[in-house]
PDB file of all heavy atoms in Angstrom:
ATOM      1  N   LEU A 399       5.015-174.431  67.812  1.00 97.00           N
ATOM      2  CA  LEU A 399       5.420-175.269  68.936  1.00 97.00           C
ATOM      3  C   LEU A 399       6.930-175.372  69.040  1.00 97.00           C
ATOM      4  O   LEU A 399       7.663-175.166  68.072  1.00 97.00           O
ATOM      5  CB  LEU A 399       4.840-176.675  68.777  1.00 97.00           C
ATOM      6  CG  LEU A 399       3.328-176.804  68.657  1.00 97.00           C
ATOM      7  CD1 LEU A 399       2.945-178.284  68.653  1.00 97.00           C
ATOM      8  CD2 LEU A 399       2.597-176.057  69.750  1.00 97.00           C
ATOM      9  N   ARG A 400       7.384-175.699  70.233  1.00 96.00           N
ATOM     10  CA  ARG A 400       8.793-176.024  70.424  1.00 96.00           C
ATOM     11  C   ARG A 400       9.097-177.309  69.677  1.00 96.00           C
ATOM     12  O   ARG A 400       8.335-178.276  69.744  1.00 96.00           O
ATOM     13  CB  ARG A 400       9.104-176.203  71.914  1.00 96.00           C
ATOM     14  CG  ARG A 400       9.042-174.934  72.728  1.00 96.00           C
ATOM     15  CD  ARG A 400       9.165-175.207  74.233  1.00 96.00           C
ATOM     16  NE  ARG A 400      10.109-176.272  74.512  1.00 96.00           N
ATOM     17  CZ  ARG A 400       9.787-177.397  75.141  1.00 96.00           C
ATOM     18  NH1 ARG A 400       8.554-177.622  75.544  1.00 96.00           N
ATOM     19  NH2 ARG A 400      10.700-178.313  75.368  1.00 96.00           N
ATOM     20  N   PRO A 401      10.219-177.376  68.944  1.00 95.00           N
ATOM     21  CA  PRO A 401      10.566-178.614  68.231  1.00 95.00           C
ATOM     22  C   PRO A 401      10.607-179.808  69.179  1.00 95.00           C
ATOM     23  O   PRO A 401      11.123-179.727  70.292  1.00 95.00           O
ATOM     24  CB  PRO A 401      11.955-178.300  67.661  1.00 95.00           C
ATOM     25  CG  PRO A 401      11.962-176.815  67.491  1.00 95.00           C
ATOM     26  CD  PRO A 401      11.175-176.280  68.653  1.00 95.00           C
ATOM     27  N   GLY A 402      10.024-180.905  68.728  1.00 92.00           N
ATOM     28  CA  GLY A 402      10.015-182.127  69.520  1.00 92.00           C
ATOM     29  C   GLY A 402       8.794-182.303  70.398  1.00 92.00           C
ATOM     30  O   GLY A 402       8.711-183.290  71.138  1.00 92.00           O
ATOM     31  N   THR A 403       7.836-181.375  70.329  1.00 94.00           N
ATOM     32  CA  THR A 403       6.685-181.443  71.239  1.00 94.00           C
ATOM     33  C   THR A 403       5.373-181.781  70.538  1.00 94.00           C
ATOM     34  O   THR A 403       4.323-181.725  71.160  1.00 94.00           O
ATOM     35  CB  THR A 403       6.514-180.098  71.978  1.00 94.00           C
ATOM     36  OG1 THR A 403       6.276-179.050  71.020  1.00 94.00           O
ATOM     37  CG2 THR A 403       7.750-179.755  72.795  1.00 94.00           C
ATOM     38  N   MET A 404       5.438-182.136  69.253  1.00 94.00           N
ATOM     39  CA  MET A 404       4.193-182.370  68.522  1.00 94.00           C
ATOM     40  C   MET A 404       3.410-183.563  69.063  1.00 94.00           C
ATOM     41  O   MET A 404       2.176-183.547  69.099  1.00 94.00           O
ATOM     42  CB  MET A 404       4.491-182.560  67.037  1.00 94.00           C
ATOM     43  CG  MET A 404       3.268-182.589  66.150  1.00 94.00           C
ATOM     44  SD  MET A 404       2.380-181.012  66.100  1.00 94.00           S
ATOM     45  CE  MET A 404       3.511-180.034  65.076  1.00 94.00           C
ATOM     46  N   ILE A 405       4.109-184.624  69.496  1.00 93.00           N
ATOM     47  CA  ILE A 405       3.433-185.797  70.047  1.00 93.00           C
ATOM     48  C   ILE A 405       2.654-185.418  71.301  1.00 93.00           C
ATOM     49  O   ILE A 405       1.488-185.807  71.472  1.00 93.00           O
ATOM     50  CB  ILE A 405       4.442-186.918  70.352  1.00 93.00           C
ATOM     51  CG1 ILE A 405       4.970-187.521  69.051  1.00 93.00           C
ATOM     52  CG2 ILE A 405       3.813-187.998  71.227  1.00 93.00           C
ATOM     53  CD1 ILE A 405       3.950-188.335  68.288  1.00 93.00           C
ATOM     54  N   GLU A 406       3.300-184.661  72.206  1.00 93.00           N
ATOM     55  CA  GLU A 406       2.606-184.244  73.426  1.00 93.00           C
ATOM     56  C   GLU A 406       1.375-183.417  73.101  1.00 93.00           C
ATOM     57  O   GLU A 406       0.303-183.599  73.686  1.00 93.00           O
ATOM     58  CB  GLU A 406       3.539-183.436  74.333  1.00 93.00           C
ATOM     59  CG  GLU A 406       4.660-184.249  74.951  1.00 93.00           C
ATOM     60  CD  GLU A 406       5.948-184.168  74.156  1.00 93.00           C
ATOM     61  OE1 GLU A 406       5.893-184.282  72.911  1.00 93.00           O
ATOM     62  OE2 GLU A 406       7.004-183.989  74.761  1.00 93.00           O
ATOM     63  N   TRP A 407       1.530-182.492  72.141  1.00 94.00           N
ATOM     64  CA  TRP A 407       0.398-181.652  71.739  1.00 94.00           C
ATOM     65  C   TRP A 407      -0.753-182.522  71.224  1.00 94.00           C
ATOM     66  O   TRP A 407      -1.905-182.351  71.630  1.00 94.00           O
ATOM     67  CB  TRP A 407       0.848-180.682  70.648  1.00 94.00           C
ATOM     68  CG  TRP A 407      -0.230-179.773  70.166  1.00 94.00           C
ATOM     69  CD1 TRP A 407      -1.137-180.019  69.180  1.00 94.00           C
ATOM     70  CD2 TRP A 407      -0.530-178.465  70.663  1.00 94.00           C
ATOM     71  NE1 TRP A 407      -1.973-178.941  69.021  1.00 94.00           N
ATOM     72  CE2 TRP A 407      -1.621-177.985  69.914  1.00 94.00           C
ATOM     73  CE3 TRP A 407       0.035-177.657  71.652  1.00 94.00           C
ATOM     74  CZ2 TRP A 407      -2.168-176.718  70.134  1.00 94.00           C
ATOM     75  CZ3 TRP A 407      -0.503-176.405  71.863  1.00 94.00           C
ATOM     76  CH2 TRP A 407      -1.595-175.945  71.128  1.00 94.00           C
ATOM     77  N   GLY A 408      -0.432-183.440  70.339  1.00 92.00           N
ATOM     78  CA  GLY A 408      -1.470-184.293  69.784  1.00 92.00           C
ATOM     79  C   GLY A 408      -2.127-185.165  70.831  1.00 92.00           C
ATOM     80  O   GLY A 408      -3.341-185.399  70.791  1.00 92.00           O
ATOM     81  N   ASN A 409      -1.354-185.633  71.792  1.00 91.00           N
ATOM     82  CA  ASN A 409      -1.903-186.494  72.822  1.00 91.00           C
ATOM     83  C   ASN A 409      -2.929-185.754  73.674  1.00 91.00           C
ATOM     84  O   ASN A 409      -3.999-186.285  73.986  1.00 91.00           O
ATOM     85  CB  ASN A 409      -0.769-187.033  73.692  1.00 91.00           C
ATOM     86  CG  ASN A 409      -1.187-188.272  74.452  1.00 91.00           C
ATOM     87  OD1 ASN A 409      -1.869-189.131  73.920  1.00 91.00           O
ATOM     88  ND2 ASN A 409      -0.769-188.359  75.695  1.00 91.00           N
ATOM     89  N   TYR A 410      -2.626-184.528  74.051  1.00 92.00           N
ATOM     90  CA  TYR A 410      -3.581-183.749  74.846  1.00 92.00           C
ATOM     91  C   TYR A 410      -4.800-183.355  74.035  1.00 92.00           C
ATOM     92  O   TYR A 410      -5.938-183.428  74.513  1.00 92.00           O
ATOM     93  CB  TYR A 410      -2.892-182.502  75.420  1.00 92.00           C
ATOM     94  CG  TYR A 410      -2.169-182.786  76.713  1.00 92.00           C
ATOM     95  CD1 TYR A 410      -0.789-182.710  76.786  1.00 92.00           C
ATOM     96  CD2 TYR A 410      -2.858-183.160  77.850  1.00 92.00           C
ATOM     97  CE1 TYR A 410      -0.114-182.995  77.962  1.00 92.00           C
ATOM     98  CE2 TYR A 410      -2.204-183.445  79.028  1.00 92.00           C
ATOM     99  CZ  TYR A 410      -0.835-183.357  79.081  1.00 92.00           C
ATOM    100  OH  TYR A 410      -0.186-183.642  80.245  1.00 92.00           O
ATOM    101  N   TRP A 411      -4.586-182.940  72.787  1.00 92.00           N
ATOM    102  CA  TRP A 411      -5.726-182.473  71.997  1.00 92.00           C
ATOM    103  C   TRP A 411      -6.618-183.612  71.532  1.00 92.00           C
ATOM    104  O   TRP A 411      -7.784-183.384  71.179  1.00 92.00           O
ATOM    105  CB  TRP A 411      -5.239-181.618  70.829  1.00 92.00           C
ATOM    106  CG  TRP A 411      -5.184-180.186  71.242  1.00 92.00           C
ATOM    107  CD1 TRP A 411      -4.104-179.502  71.718  1.00 92.00           C
ATOM    108  CD2 TRP A 411      -6.277-179.271  71.261  1.00 92.00           C
ATOM    109  NE1 TRP A 411      -4.463-178.207  72.026  1.00 92.00           N
ATOM    110  CE2 TRP A 411      -5.786-178.039  71.752  1.00 92.00           C
ATOM    111  CE3 TRP A 411      -7.625-179.357  70.908  1.00 92.00           C
ATOM    112  CZ2 TRP A 411      -6.596-176.920  71.905  1.00 92.00           C
ATOM    113  CZ3 TRP A 411      -8.432-178.237  71.052  1.00 92.00           C
ATOM    114  CH2 TRP A 411      -7.912-177.045  71.556  1.00 92.00           C
ATOM    115  N   ALA A 412      -6.123-184.845  71.548  1.00 90.00           N
ATOM    116  CA  ALA A 412      -7.000-185.981  71.265  1.00 90.00           C
ATOM    117  C   ALA A 412      -8.118-186.057  72.291  1.00 90.00           C
ATOM    118  O   ALA A 412      -9.231-186.489  71.992  1.00 90.00           O
ATOM    119  CB  ALA A 412      -6.188-187.276  71.258  1.00 90.00           C
ATOM    120  N   ARG A 413      -7.835-185.620  73.513  1.00 87.00           N
ATOM    121  CA  ARG A 413      -8.877-185.523  74.539  1.00 87.00           C
ATOM    122  C   ARG A 413      -9.630-184.210  74.466  1.00 87.00           C
ATOM    123  O   ARG A 413     -10.841-184.150  74.586  1.00 87.00           O
ATOM    124  CB  ARG A 413      -8.239-185.630  75.936  1.00 87.00           C
ATOM    125  CG  ARG A 413      -7.934-187.029  76.385  1.00 87.00           C
ATOM    126  CD  ARG A 413      -7.757-187.055  77.881  1.00 87.00           C
ATOM    127  NE  ARG A 413      -6.890-185.984  78.348  1.00 87.00           N
ATOM    128  CZ  ARG A 413      -6.975-185.437  79.555  1.00 87.00           C
ATOM    129  NH1 ARG A 413      -7.891-185.835  80.400  1.00 87.00           N
ATOM    130  NH2 ARG A 413      -6.143-184.487  79.915  1.00 87.00           N
TER     131      ARG A 413
END
Side-chain angles (χ1 to χ4, degrees):
L399 302 186
R400 291 172 38 240
T403 61
M404 189 66 74
I405 289 290
E406 291 95 315
W407 180 273
N409 200 41
Y410 275 113
W411 269 95
R413 279 199 313 152

